[in-house]
Amino acid sequence: MSAPLLTSLAEPGGDRPDALTVGGRACSREELLGAAGAVAARIAGAPVVAVRASPTAETVTAVVGALLAGVPVVPVPPDSGPAERDHILRDSKAALLLTGSLTGSPTEEEAGPVETVPVDLAERAAWSGPEPDPESTAFVLYTSGTTGAPKGALISRGAVAADLDALAGAWAWTAEDTLVHGLPLFHVHGLVLGVLGALRVGSRLVHTGRPTPAAYAAAGGSLYFGVPTVWHRVVQDPDAARALSGARLLVSGSAPLPAPVFRDLEQLTGHRPVERYGMTETLITISTRADGERRPGYVGTPLSGIRTRVAAEEGAEIGELQLTGPTLFDGYLNRPEATAGSYTEDGWFRTGDIAAVEPDGFHRIVGRASTDLIKSGGYRIGAGEVENALLDHPAVREAAVVGAPHEDLGQQIVAYVVADGVSEAELIDYVAGQLSVHKRPRKVRFLEALPRNAMGKPQKKLLPPA
């Protein structure tokens, strides 16, 4: 029989009444197991179930129940519109939609082409089914759909276990920790790492509902997860930031952490944050270590079992990051051509991200090949490097850099910034003084705010025309 995916739920004794707190509601692991057992009993045998993944204890219970029963889980963003929601439900062929609603009929937001089943935390049932095969699908996670309709990535139980064990080793994550975060429960970061990680390692979990500086400061954790937007807001609240000084580790991911935020976190909390890199299709593959060096702008070295390489043109320092290892997905649901196209001829996964690797193995992610690799005047320039230079200017709060068509240069560097009291010429000169002159923006556009997704990533395709 294979080892349980959710290790701590199978261990007797040592439980505490607030082992998991989600959105202010606390429960023990025994209570979670009983409520999840009731879910497992109701859905056993279903081919696939969807879960309306709001930041609630019901969402955690639904996901755990499905994993106990060996039924693949499709997390559905609670704010998804009807078109996106119906696409996910129909494409995945979900048989049921599990929700936190106890009303007699589904709300308009929850309604869809499948039967809606409410999750009741008061229900209890003992689940004695066998541990599912590690090669079976744990999740169908839908990508952001930036190049068309969202695609469902098939993530196996074995991939989840391998990733969480590698991260536990890299971050010295143990049952003695209290993990705190307020990230969405429909992404790898918030759900797989932020919930299943705690249930596998056995650490206490505090999900704050929303990732506000005040909520993080009040939680008293030893391990904190956040995205750059969260950490930017934390450093804007110095008192909240200083309250995290007693933590053991601050982890940032889902997008590059701007160097100024890295430095502010270190100054206010005493911690140099850990950065890591991953994708829906690969889970987390690269990270800095709890006991290792942490450099601004770098995501560290490959996790245990992961191999990486950079496919760069001759003479170029940057190129597409490719990797292989046990955390990779099993392909896109019903899309064999897309699956085949995501791998090289010799079987390495093509991330579509542009990276550079230092001689000591430290990886730096420059950005997406489709939007962040700029070819200007014969030079290959990473947008992330220019963005960090702009963010070092004291007047700049946000920055996004793209390459726009140019009849002479091929592409010209265009910067979109949120800033006060600084001119276009001043910012162009500032970047030219920080980096090579050819990396300076040719145009600067000032915005009230950058368009971002739920994880705080800038959405460059939504920027106004250059």
Side-chain angles (χ1 to χ4, degrees), residues 296-373:
Y298 287 81
V299 294
T301 55
L303 294 175
S304 176
I306 301 295
R307 291 186 295 150
T308 67
R309 69 187 187 189
V310 172
E313 295 180 3
E314 185 175 355
E317 296 180 354
I318 60 177
E320 184 187 45
L321 178 66
Q322 300 173 357
L323 51 85
T324 185
T327 69
L328 268 64
F329 75 147
D330 291 328
Y332 296 112
L333 180 66
N334 303 323
R335 286 167 171 78
E337 291 184 0
T339 300
S342 66
Y343 284 89
T344 64
E345 290 184 359
D346 57 349
W348 289 65
F349 180 76
R350 303 181 59 181
T351 66
D353 284 323
I354 303 302
V357 181
E358 300 297 322
D360 61 1
F362 261 62
H363 288 54
R364 175 169 58 89
I365 306 301
V366 175
R368 294 295 293 170
S370 58
T371 57
D372 296 322
L373 179 61

Side-chain angles (χ1 to χ4, degrees), residues 272-289:
R272 294 172 70 84
V274 161
E275 291 193 69
R276 88 300 181 283
Y277 167 80
M279 299 176 63
T280 300
E281 294 90 341
T282 67
L283 304 182
I284 308 307
T285 51
I286 304 170
S287 181
T288 49
R289 277 27 180 199

Side-chain angles (χ1 to χ4, degrees), residues 25-295:
R25 185 162 189 168
C27 69
S28 66
R29 288 189 179 82
E30 182 180 8
E31 291 170 331
L32 172 63
L33 183 60
V39 171
R42 294 177 69 183
I43 68 172
V48 182
V49 296
V51 175
R52 186 174 183 272
S54 55
T56 62
E58 284 85 357
T59 292
V60 174
T61 300
V63 170
V64 171
L67 292 175
L68 290 175
V71 178
V73 178
V74 182
V76 179
D79 60 350
S80 59
E84 179 185 1
R85 183 175 60 251
D86 288 358
H87 167 74
I88 291 173
L89 295 176
R90 293 183 190 280
D91 187 69
S92 67
K93 295 181 171 59
L96 302 167
L97 174 62
L98 306 181
T99 81
S101 174
L102 295 177
T103 57
S105 59
T107 66
E108 181 180 349
E109 290 77 18
E110 294 166 341
V114 300
E115 178 186 354
T116 302
V117 177
V119 173
D120 186 351
L121 297 181
E123 287 187 333
R124 295 287 186 273
W127 177 256
S128 57
E131 177 69 14
D133 189 324
E135 296 185 4
S136 64
T137 299
F139 294 100
V140 184
L141 298 176
Y142 277 78
T143 63
S144 59
T146 55
T147 57
K151 300 187 293 290
L154 301 170
I155 311 296
S156 72
R157 300 173 72 94
V160 171
D163 201 49
L164 295 178
D165 290 347
L167 289 172
W171 298 342
W173 186 1
T174 73
E176 302 303 313
D177 279 307
T178 293
L179 169 62
V180 176
H181 74 91
L183 303 175
L185 298 186
F186 49 88
H187 284 296
V188 168
H189 197 169
L191 180 59
V192 178
L193 275 62
V195 173
L196 301 193
L199 293 177
R200 185 165 179 84
V201 171
S203 64
R204 181 170 172 251
L205 168 64
V206 178
H207 190 286
T208 58
R210 296 181 62 243
T212 65
Y216 273 36
S222 61
L223 177 62
Y224 284 81
F225 289 172
V227 298
T229 300
V230 171
W231 296 124
H232 178 263
R233 292 172 181 171
V234 166
V235 298
Q236 297 303 304
D237 186 337
D239 289 339
R242 293 187 188 100
L244 305 186
S245 60
R248 185 178 65 80
L249 213 62
L250 310 181
V251 179
S252 183
S254 296
L257 183 69
V261 179
F262 185 107
R263 292 194 291 268
D264 288 345
L265 275 173
E266 181 179 17
Q267 180 181 2
L268 290 166
T269 70
H271 294 289
R272 294 172 70 84
V274 161
E275 291 193 69
R276 88 300 181 283
Y277 167 80
M279 299 176 63
T280 300
E281 294 90 341
T282 67
L283 304 182
I284 308 307
T285 51
I286 304 170
S287 181
T288 49
R289 277 27 180 199
D291 60 354
E293 183 184 359
R294 305 168 208 172
R295 304 174 194 166

